[in-house]
Amino acid sequence: MFKRTKSEPETVAETAAKVGGKGRPTPTRKEAEAAAKARAKTPRTRKEMAQQERRQRADATQKRREAMLTGDDRHLPLRDKGPVKRFVRDFVDARFSIVEMLIPLLVISLVLGWSGKSALVSASSMVLMITVLFVIIDLSIVVFRLRRQLKKRFPDQSLRGTSSYAVMRSMQMKFMRLPKSRVKVGQKLPDDYSK
């Protein structure tokens, strides 16, 4: 009555269901360790999630800082990315600017103003006004020449914001500019910036 008969062969599905009842093969040690590492990396609490976000932000900031020094376009901030912005940076860096002389001229103006003699004080204000005038003229020339070059080199791309980008870069001393300058003063710029 309760005997088992051997008349029916076992099917493959029944055999698979009987082995541990999982319906899948046991993972190898390598697969199990990889799955355990993946589970360990996924945060489970809010504190772990905050720590992971902090680490990711720190990594992104470090990559961005390195890109500002090396000029790596992949990790630069959005305002500095792309061939147009790279050309603007190179265009500004390849020319001598009056702003390079701004700090020495302002120091001279300051010293003359503190001298106490009326002739030197008036000379100080004259030096200051002439410096400001030359800076405005120089920046106007930069913007005019840059726009002409951009229209010639990048006719089908948006040039929005390039003038203000160039003015802001021109107003900085060369050693303080970020991303760091890749060209020397007077160096000829490459023809192709698509790379």
Side-chain angles (χ1 to χ4, degrees), residues 18-107:
K18 286 181 184 178
V19 177
K22 293 183 290 199
R24 60 180 167 76
T26 303
T28 63
R29 172 173 281 206
K30 189 175 181 180
E31 292 170 346
E33 287 175 354
K37 282 183 184 177
R39 279 194 307 273
K41 285 183 181 178
T42 58
R44 295 184 179 165
T45 64
R46 274 195 357 223
K47 185 177 178 182
E48 289 174 354
M49 286 173 27
Q51 286 174 343
Q52 184 181 26
E53 287 175 9
R54 210 173 300 124
R55 274 194 304 270
Q56 289 172 346
R57 262 195 316 261
D59 290 344
T61 303
Q62 180 64 29
K63 285 179 183 175
R64 196 175 306 121
R65 191 175 299 129
E66 289 172 5
M68 291 296 248
L69 297 174
T70 62
D72 183 12
D73 209 31
R74 294 173 298 162
H75 300 293
L76 284 175
L78 193 58
R79 74 182 169 117
D80 296 318
K81 271 189 181 178
V84 175
K85 297 292 178 80
R86 192 173 341 122
F87 173 74
V88 171
R89 287 194 301 270
D90 289 352
F91 183 84
V92 169
D93 294 341
R95 61 184 304 278
F96 178 76
S97 175
I98 298 294
V99 176
E100 302 284 334
M101 300 297 297
L102 186 64
I103 290 181
L105 289 172
L106 291 177
V107 168

Side-chain angles (χ1 to χ4, degrees), residues 121-180:
V121 170
S122 65
S124 163
S125 63
M126 185 63 74
V127 167
L128 186 62
M129 285 190 289
I130 289 174
T131 302
V132 169
L133 180 67
F134 277 137
V135 166
I136 291 171
I137 291 171
D138 186 48
L139 291 177
S140 302
I141 291 170
V142 167
V143 169
F144 177 73
R145 288 182 178 169
L146 176 68
R147 283 185 183 166
R148 196 169 56 195
Q149 286 289 321
L150 286 172
K151 285 178 184 173
K152 187 170 79 172
R153 289 177 183 252
F154 305 98
D156 56 344
Q157 293 194 19
S158 171
L159 305 177
R160 187 172 179 216
T162 53
S163 298
S164 59
Y165 187 70
V167 167
M168 293 307 294
R169 190 159 179 94
S170 295
M171 292 295 291
Q172 298 169 346
M173 302 296 286
K174 190 163 184 167
F175 66 89
M176 296 173 65
R177 295 175 183 166
L178 286 177
K180 288 288 184 190

